[in-house]
Amino acid sequence: VISGKIVVFGSYINDLVGRGPDLPRPGETVKGTLFQMGPGGKGFNQAVAARRAAGDVVFITKVGPGLFGDLALTNIKTEGISLTYVFRNPEIETGTALITVNEKTGQNQILVTIGACGTITEKEIAKARTDIVSADIILMQFETNMDAIAKTIKMANRAKVPIILNPAPVQEISDDLLPLVDIITPNETEASVLSGVKVDGLSSVHEAAQFFLDKGLKKVVITLGEKGVYARTEDDEIFLPAVDYAPVVDTTGAGDAFNGVLAVALAQGRDFFEAVRFSNVAASLSTSRYGSSKSMPCRDEIERYYNL
Ligand code: RIB
C-alpha cells in the first residue's frame, strides 16, 4: 500500500451482463452468447481500481437486504476493502445494472437502478466524517443520491480535501457545488450535457474544458473512449490516444479504471499530466478483459506497460 488515503464515496451495484454479436433495438429480441453476474457499480469499480493500484482505500456505500446484500459484503471484503462504511438498507434492494455488451466491438449499454445506494443518509455520512476530512483525495460519482453527494462535497471541501468528481451517469449539478470540485472527469457525452458544448473533436473538447475552468474547477479530464483522453489545466493541455495493448473485449468499467488509478497516482504525488498518462494505461488494460470491477489491472501490470 502506498501512502495517501483515498476515500471513494459511491455505488456498489450487482452487474448482470449479457453478451452477444448484436444488441437489440427497441422492441427487438436478439439471442446472446454469454451471461455473467459480477460485482460492479462505478463507486466499487473505482475503489477496486485504486486498491489494486496499491492505494489505501476507504469505501463508503450502501447495499440492500438478503442474498444480494450479503454477496456485496463478501465481494467488497474479497478485494481487501473494509466494510466499516458499507451501510445497509433493510428494505431497498442492492443496486442492479442490466448490461449488454456487443462482442464485436466491446461497447456496452447499461441500465442502472441504484437501489440502496440512492438512500445514503446524513447520519451515515457523519459516521464517515473522520475519514472524509483526513483523506488525501476523495473520489465521487453520480450513482448515489444527490443530497448525499452535495453533503459530502461540502464536507470534503471545508476540510480542503481535493475532490475528483466523475459525473456519471450524467446528471445536472448545481452551480454552487461545481466550483467546490477540484478535478472533473466526464466522458464525451457527460461533458456535452454539462457544458452545453457538443464534444466531437479536439477543438470542441478544448471549449468544453474551458466551460469547467470558467466555473472555478482547477483541472479537467475528458475521457474519449477508443480515441483516448484529453486533460486540461489553466495553463496547459494534453491529448493522449488510447493505448492498444490487446484486443478490446469489454469497455465496461474503463472509465472507472481511469478514475480509481488517477486518484492513486495523485495521492502518490505524481504530476497531474503524468497521473493522467498512468491512468490511461490502466483504462486501456481494463478493456482487454471481461467484467467491470473484475477487469481492473494490478499496479505491477500498469507500471510494466507505463514504462514501455
Ligand atoms: O461504469 C461501469 C458501471 O456502471 C457498471 O459496473 C455498472 O454497475 C454501472 O453502474
Side-chain angles (χ1 to χ4, degrees):
V1 172
I2 56 159
S3 61
K5 179 161 71 183
I6 296 145
V7 169
V8 182
F9 179 95
S11 59
Y12 175 94
I13 305 277
N14 191 33
D15 286 353
L16 305 172
V17 190
R19 289 169 219 291
D22 294 295
L23 299 190
R25 282 167 298 190
E28 198 182 31
T29 305
V30 298
K31 277 189 174 171
T33 50
L34 181 69
F35 168 78
Q36 274 170 332
M37 187 170 97
K42 296 183 194 298
F44 182 62
N45 296 341
Q46 294 181 19
V48 171
R51 184 72 198 87
R52 292 193 186 172
D56 175 8
V57 174
V58 174
F59 182 40
I60 306 169
T61 194
K62 193 159 181 174
V63 300
L67 270 183
F68 281 155
D70 294 346
L71 182 62
L73 302 189
T74 308
N75 285 331
I76 296 169
K77 220 164 132 190
T78 305
E79 288 293 336
I81 296 171
S82 160
L83 300 179
T84 310
Y85 303 122
V86 179
F87 301 107
R88 283 190 92 160
N89 186 323
E91 276 145 26
I92 311 245
E93 279 304 332
T94 303
T96 305
L98 305 175
I99 305 180
T100 48
V101 179
N102 180 323
E103 59 190 19
K104 289 184 204 146
T105 62
Q107 295 295 336
N108 62 55
Q109 284 174 317
I110 305 180
L111 177 73
V112 62
T113 317
I114 64 172
C117 45
T119 66
I120 299 178
T121 64
E122 267 195 38
K123 244 188 175 162
E124 288 158 347
I125 299 169
K127 283 192 184 145
R129 187 175 188 283
T130 326
D131 274 302
I132 293 172
V133 301
S134 63
D136 289 287
I137 250 175
I138 182 162
L139 182 53
M140 306 177 68
Q141 318 75 26
F142 277 165
E143 270 181 350
T144 51
N145 39 315
M146 194 44 107
D147 56 325
I149 294 170
K151 173 120 193 102
T152 309
I153 288 182
K154 286 179 188 156
M155 184 184 278
N157 176 265
R158 266 198 303 272
K160 300 197 169 35
V161 175
I163 302 165
I164 304 181
L165 176 66
N166 175 222
V170 72
Q171 201 176 321
E172 284 304 322
I173 176 164
S174 77
D175 265 353
D176 54 314
L177 282 181
L178 206 49
L180 307 183
V181 172
D182 295 83
I183 305 177
I184 195 160
T185 60
N187 65 15
E188 283 162 291
T189 321
E190 292 145 9
S192 303
V193 172
L194 293 174
S195 72
V197 177
K198 183 153 178 25
V199 176
D200 57 4
L202 270 190
S203 70
S204 55
V205 115
H206 175 93
E207 203 187 316
Q210 188 61 47
F211 166 88
F212 294 110
L213 294 179
D214 290 344
K215 289 275 175 196
L217 279 90
K218 298 185 186 69
K219 291 168 182 134
V220 182
V221 178
I222 302 179
T223 52
L224 305 167
E226 72 281 2
K227 294 195 281 298
V229 61
Y230 168 88
R232 169 117 198 254
T233 62
E234 200 57 72
D235 331 297
D236 215 349
E237 62 186 339
I238 52 162
F239 165 72
L240 298 170
V243 253
D244 63 0
Y245 303 119
V248 173
V249 298
D250 184 353
T251 58
T252 317
D256 299 328
F258 183 90
N259 280 279
V261 175
L262 181 69
V264 176
L266 292 171
Q268 191 192 19
R270 273 183 210 257
D271 156 79
F272 174 63
F273 290 116
E274 272 314 303
V276 169
R277 202 163 74 78
F278 194 67
S279 316
N280 192 37
V281 172
S284 290
L285 286 171
S286 82
T287 64
S288 66
R289 17 189 126 96
Y290 288 149
S292 39
S293 64
K294 291 206 159 124
S295 71
M296 298 305 160
C298 291
R299 186 170 187 100
D300 288 356
E301 209 184 346
I302 308 171
E303 261 169 4
R304 198 167 349 116
Y305 284 93
Y306 176 74
N307 292 323
L308 276 184

